[in-house]
Amino acid sequence: MKHIQISILLSISLLLTVSSCGQQQAWDGGLISVQYDRLPQGEDILLSDWAGEPEFIALDSSDPEALIAGGEVTVSNHYIGIYSPMETPFKLFDRATGKFLCNVGNIGRGPGEYNRISFAQIDETGGKIWISTLYDNKIHTYDISTGRFLEDLPLAYEAEGNPNQGYNFMVDGSAQTVTIATTPFDDGCPVIAWCQDYEGNVLWEIPKTGTIPENAILSLHTSLNVDGALDISQWSMNTQQDTLFVIEDRELHPLLTMELGRATEPNALTFNDGDYMHEPCILPDYVLVNISQIKMVTSRNTGSGASISLETDLLPAIVLDRRTGKVSRRTVIDDILTMDETSPSFKCGYLAESYSPEYFIETTAKALEEGNLSNAARKRISTILENLSEEDNNVILLAPIK
């Protein structure tokens, strides 16, 4: 069983729908449409088949400001960033040592401040951290060495029609450009994506050809695992049909649209027993959609709103082989540490996992005896365990995508 704690926001960010359903279509390099319960069961996937030699980084525990509790991991050659949609600042760490460097920006509503981060990217080449938030149409930039606010990126278009973040982005620090994919609301932005310079001048754009209602409950997910491409996954929370695509070479390339279980209204948010939950991710050679199913729902009221606790079962993932067009349900096995079924997270070209100290201590004890680890990885884990307590900060696993 997997236990998930979810804090419900009053409104959720959105993206794009594609009216396509049914069985897998013949592969022609275009969009493939599937129904989860009709997919064939394929062979298990070993995580080591997709990810190379792992490195383990114990995050700094000496500074109370450094402590994290989950969150998204983003990574570059020399830095690790942790951010969350909760009201916590972006935290920047040294990748080699795990040392806490700074909070990037501050929580608040003043210039350069934010409340809930929707997406972030570390731009080492340009010396900046780029952050978008749920509640405005701005992309903030911060100095990578100090975490101090620099300026807001002037957007050529705005993701109008929704109070939440309606876009994701990819920064090219060498070219000093930003590619942005937006939500095609009925009366919103006239383009689905565009590329601009830092001054807001449009270099190219992709016109919008279809729209969705402004009250649709969807969100955007971007992993930045494909070099030179902005990957976008439509991520619904109401079993609506979802679509994954990449923006590459100035074109939008739809990859996969899926139907999970029973569909509800676009503006309905459901957490019922039997509902599916999923986490999509686009890799260079594959599309991976982690699938789980709700088994039990409990709720309680808190000072900040309703809190829902979900108990779920992990199910076989949807896997599209981008080289052949074959789609199947496949179980992913973590042969690096646990030999258990897993729902891996990939970000910025890496398998990127954040482990609580309790989980790391328990899991690696078994992995040192039974896991598929190199001598270097065993030595690093043993060194971390010598100094790790359950009150310490999280441990990050990074392994490059093969």
Side-chain angles (χ1 to χ4, degrees):
M1 290 283 190
K2 185 178 182 181
H3 299 270
I4 301 176
Q5 190 76 22
I6 294 182
S7 295
I8 304 301
L9 305 179
L10 293 179
S11 52
I12 298 175
S13 56
L14 311 156
L15 176 68
L16 164 74
T17 57
V18 175
S19 297
S20 173
C21 62
Q23 296 283 21
Q24 177 180 339
Q25 300 171 351
W27 175 248
D28 59 359
L31 179 68
I32 292 179
S33 178
V34 300
Q35 292 182 355
Y36 179 70
D37 58 0
R38 297 185 182 181
L39 284 174
Q41 184 69 39
E43 296 181 354
D44 293 351
I45 296 171
L46 297 180
L47 201 50
S48 63
D49 290 340
W50 284 3
E53 176 69 11
E55 57 183 297
F56 298 90
I57 304 99
L59 298 182
D60 192 355
S61 301
S62 62
D63 187 339
E65 283 289 321
L67 298 179
I68 65 171
E72 292 281 337
V73 177
T74 186
V75 62
S76 66
N77 289 337
H78 297 96
Y79 298 97
I80 294 173
I82 307 292
Y83 65 94
S84 165
M86 309 309 293
E87 293 187 359
T88 56
F90 182 105
K91 298 183 182 296
L92 188 67
F93 297 86
D94 179 79
R95 175 170 166 177
T97 64
K99 180 182 178 181
F100 177 62
L101 300 176
C102 62
N103 283 329
V104 176
N106 297 294
I107 301 300
R109 298 187 181 277
E113 295 179 334
Y114 49 81
N115 285 310
R116 298 182 185 275
I117 299 173
S118 58
F119 185 69
Q121 183 179 345
I122 300 172
D123 171 25
E124 276 197 45
T125 302
K128 295 179 180 179
I129 307 293
W130 299 72
I131 293 176
S132 62
T133 66
L134 287 173
Y135 293 136
D136 59 35
N137 289 308
K138 297 178 180 179
I139 299 178
H140 307 301
T141 62
Y142 302 85
D143 182 79
I144 201 170
S145 61
T146 65
R148 294 177 181 172
F149 174 64
L150 296 174
E151 60 183 349
D152 291 331
L153 176 73
L155 294 177
Y157 297 103
E158 290 190 353
E160 301 171 349
N162 187 271
N164 289 334
Q165 177 262 353
Y167 55 85
N168 267 10
F169 62 90
M170 177 186 66
V171 175
D172 185 334
S174 298
Q176 296 192 2
T177 61
V178 184
T179 302
I180 301 169
T182 187
T183 309
F185 295 120
D186 289 338
D187 298 317
C189 179
V191 301
I192 186 64
W194 75 94
C195 180
Q196 65 169 67
D197 61 22
Y198 292 174
E199 286 71 46
N201 301 305
V202 175
L203 305 178
W204 53 264
E205 61 187 38
I206 301 173
K208 179 171 63 178
T209 57
T211 64
I212 63 170
E214 296 175 5
N215 62 350
I217 297 180
L218 305 167
S219 63
L220 304 182
H221 184 80
T222 294
S223 301
L224 299 181
N225 291 313
V226 182
D227 288 341
L230 174 58
D231 60 290
I232 295 291
S233 304
Q234 173 184 304
W235 190 348
S236 77
M237 300 182 70
N238 59 354
T239 67
Q240 287 293 311
Q241 187 171 283
D242 290 355
T243 301
L244 291 76
F245 59 90
V246 295
I247 297 171
E248 191 172 20
D249 298 329
R250 304 188 179 193
E251 295 182 351
L252 185 148
H253 301 280
L255 300 176
L256 177 71
T257 183
M258 71 202 85
E259 185 176 324
L260 303 173
R262 58 184 184 277
T264 59
E265 293 299 319
N267 62 346
L269 180 65
T270 64
F271 293 101
N272 300 316
D273 291 354
D275 280 355
Y276 291 96
M277 301 185 69
H278 63 291
E279 298 177 356
C281 184
I282 297 173
L283 306 177
D285 292 331
Y286 295 92
V287 168
L288 170 70
V289 186
N290 295 313
I291 304 291
S292 58
Q293 190 170 33
I294 298 174
K295 292 300 180 184
M296 183 180 300
V297 182
T298 57
S299 63
R300 62 185 179 90
N301 292 323
T302 66
S304 58
S307 177
I308 293 181
S309 179
L310 303 178
E311 187 174 296
T312 68
D313 277 344
L314 183 62
L315 301 180
I318 298 175
V319 177
L320 162 65
D321 189 326
R322 296 183 60 192
R323 300 162 299 183
T324 65
K326 181 180 179 180
V327 189
S328 58
R329 290 186 291 183
R330 303 179 68 178
T331 299
V332 183
I333 304 295
D334 180 5
D335 63 322
I336 297 174
L337 288 180
T338 67
M339 294 304 298
D340 295 330
E341 298 178 14
T342 186
S343 54
S345 298
F346 293 90
K347 199 72 175 285
C348 303
Y350 292 88
L351 169 67
E353 303 284 5
S354 179
Y355 299 130
S356 69
E358 299 94 333
Y359 182 85
F360 187 79
I361 291 170
E362 177 184 352
T363 301
T364 54
K366 178 181 178 182
L368 289 173
E369 294 182 2
E370 305 174 9
N372 182 23
L373 294 168
S374 67
N375 290 333
R378 289 174 180 275
K379 183 177 180 179
R380 178 57 182 155
I381 289 172
S382 298
T383 300
I384 292 175
L385 290 177
E386 290 175 359
N387 302 286
L388 189 68
S389 73
E390 293 186 355
E391 290 73 37
D392 284 335
N393 212 351
N394 282 21
V395 178
I396 305 298
L397 179 154
L398 296 176
I401 296 174
K402 291 181 176 179

